[in-house]
Amino acid sequence: MPALFVLLMWLVYWVEVRFHLNFNSWGVYPRRLSGIVGILCSPFIHGSLTHLWHNTVPILVLTSALLYFYRGVSLRVFVLGYILTGLLTWIIGRASLHIGASGIIYMLAGFLFFKGIWARNYRLAAVSFIVVFLYGSLIWGTLPYDPKISWEGHLSGLLSGILLAIFIRDRIEFAKKYAWELESYDETKDPFMRHFDEDGNFVEWEEE
């Protein structure tokens, strides 16, 4: 899925360049009925090759992480996050065309970070810290510091990721507890531990 999504992004850009077209009008235009189509189309539309390239690698990395670590809910998270990000952008965005897949990137980063922290699973928490290490600076993109950047789309994506991390709970892998971590564990009945004496020396032991 990550490769297919990125392939479609590049294919749309190639068609624009090859046939001298401009699909920007298919982006999200807030609070205008004609702009609703951008909820589905805008992530595949980019204003320049640089814009497209900057979105390509994060989409590949974050979508792959979602599929690998959250296999049971990955499709639902991606589809709901995709739609919710576009819808929130349509609601809160300024009166301008909003294009690009960066909102999806913020949604994925938000979900992976917060779900990993809240899941209390060391593997998923590690993913959270990796996301912060790689894309922690994305938080500045949610602030209106550059009129050419859709900070509303970024903020919408981040909020969507947080909401999905809160409400999507089923089939999430939790940390496995081993027998010796349980409160009911009794080392005197553990076949392995019975091979050691009080000083930690290995002793032969046979079942009666």
Side-chain angles (χ1 to χ4, degrees), residues 154-206:
H154 298 170
L155 180 60
S156 296
L158 181 61
L159 292 176
S160 299
I162 294 174
L163 288 174
L164 291 171
I166 293 173
F167 291 106
I168 293 186
R169 299 180 180 180
D170 59 317
R171 294 198 297 265
I172 296 296
E173 179 186 358
F174 291 95
K176 177 182 178 181
K177 282 194 174 183
Y178 296 93
W180 48 268
E181 294 180 298
L182 302 176
E183 294 181 4
S184 59
Y185 174 71
D186 184 356
E187 65 178 22
T188 61
K189 297 180 180 180
D190 189 322
F192 177 75
M193 294 300 296
R194 293 177 69 175
H195 281 289
F196 298 88
D197 61 20
E198 295 180 355
D199 297 323
N201 298 313
F202 182 81
V203 295
E204 292 293 339
W205 174 80
E206 296 182 358

Side-chain angles (χ1 to χ4, degrees), residues 50-194:
T50 300
H51 185 201
L52 175 60
W53 172 247
H54 285 170
N55 284 344
T56 294
V57 177
I59 283 287
L60 283 173
V61 172
L62 295 174
T63 308
S64 297
L66 176 69
L67 287 169
Y68 185 82
F69 292 102
Y70 297 91
R71 188 180 306 273
V73 297
S74 59
L75 183 58
R76 194 194 323 172
V77 168
F78 189 86
V79 172
L80 291 178
Y82 187 109
I83 296 173
L84 186 57
T85 297
L87 182 60
L88 286 177
T89 303
W90 185 82
I91 293 173
I92 70 173
R94 80 196 93 156
S96 179
L97 287 167
H98 298 255
I99 60 174
S102 53
I104 306 298
I105 293 171
Y106 276 78
M107 180 273 294
L108 293 169
F111 177 83
L112 290 170
F113 175 74
F114 287 100
K115 176 56 73 175
I117 296 297
W118 294 333
R120 293 178 295 177
N121 181 309
Y122 71 92
R123 290 177 60 205
L124 302 183
V127 175
S128 297
F129 289 116
I130 291 173
V131 169
V132 169
F133 178 75
L134 293 176
Y135 303 111
S137 61
L138 288 177
I139 191 65
W140 300 111
T142 61
L143 302 176
Y145 67 91
D146 189 339
K148 296 180 180 180
I149 295 177
S150 175
W151 65 270
E152 302 96 326
H154 298 170
L155 180 60
S156 296
L158 181 61
L159 292 176
S160 299
I162 294 174
L163 288 174
L164 291 171
I166 293 173
F167 291 106
I168 293 186
R169 299 180 180 180
D170 59 317
R171 294 198 297 265
I172 296 296
E173 179 186 358
F174 291 95
K176 177 182 178 181
K177 282 194 174 183
Y178 296 93
W180 48 268
E181 294 180 298
L182 302 176
E183 294 181 4
S184 59
Y185 174 71
D186 184 356
E187 65 178 22
T188 61
K189 297 180 180 180
D190 189 322
F192 177 75
M193 294 300 296
R194 293 177 69 175

Side-chain angles (χ1 to χ4, degrees), residues 20-59:
H20 305 287
L21 301 173
N22 190 323
F23 293 151
N24 286 4
S25 60
W26 290 78
V28 173
Y29 200 99
R31 296 171 300 282
R32 186 180 288 182
L33 288 179
S34 61
I36 293 179
V37 68
I39 294 176
L40 296 178
C41 298
S42 61
F44 299 102
I45 304 170
H46 294 81
S48 67
L49 186 60
T50 300
H51 185 201
L52 175 60
W53 172 247
H54 285 170
N55 284 344
T56 294
V57 177
I59 283 287

